[in-house]
């Protein structure tokens, strides 16, 4: 199961640039190229070597503060 995603506007232009999401296995992902007519690219930011959920889960993400 995935945690609630965090959608980020890194350029402060009111257009979302990236999505960050984690899961119950403790893996963290970043999705870029999320705009219209773009193909999303998913990259793994970090991962734990667990095969059982709930050892290092990512359940909720803190809100990114505005610049």
């Amino acid at each position: 199961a995935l945690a609630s995603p965090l959608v980020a506007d890194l350029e402060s232009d009111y257009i979302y640039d990236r999505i960050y999401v984690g899961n119950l296995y403790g893996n963290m992902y970043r999705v870029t190229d999320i705009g219209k007519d773009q193909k999303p690219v998913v990259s793994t930011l970090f991962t734990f070597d667990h095969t059982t959920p709930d050892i290092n889960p990512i359940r909720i993400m803190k809100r990114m503060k505005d610049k």
Side-chain angles (χ1 to χ4, degrees):
L2 295 175
S4 297
L6 176 116
V7 184
D9 173 17
L10 302 177
E11 299 174 7
S12 298
D13 57 1
Y14 302 102
I15 298 172
Y16 293 122
D17 304 302
R18 296 181 183 166
I19 300 171
Y20 295 92
V21 66
N23 66 17
L24 292 178
Y25 291 92
N27 303 315
M28 185 73 178
Y29 304 97
R30 174 181 54 218
V31 184
T32 58
D33 299 330
I34 59 172
K36 184 178 177 182
D37 298 326
Q38 293 181 323
K39 182 179 177 184
V41 176
V42 179
S43 55
T44 302
L45 295 178
F46 62 86
T47 185
F48 286 101
D49 293 327
H50 298 302
T51 57
T52 305
D54 293 327
I55 293 176
N56 295 101
I58 299 173
R59 294 190 176 126
I60 190 166
M61 298 189 57
K62 291 187 176 186
R63 185 180 185 285
M64 290 182 73
K65 293 188 178 197
D66 298 330
K67 295 179 184 179

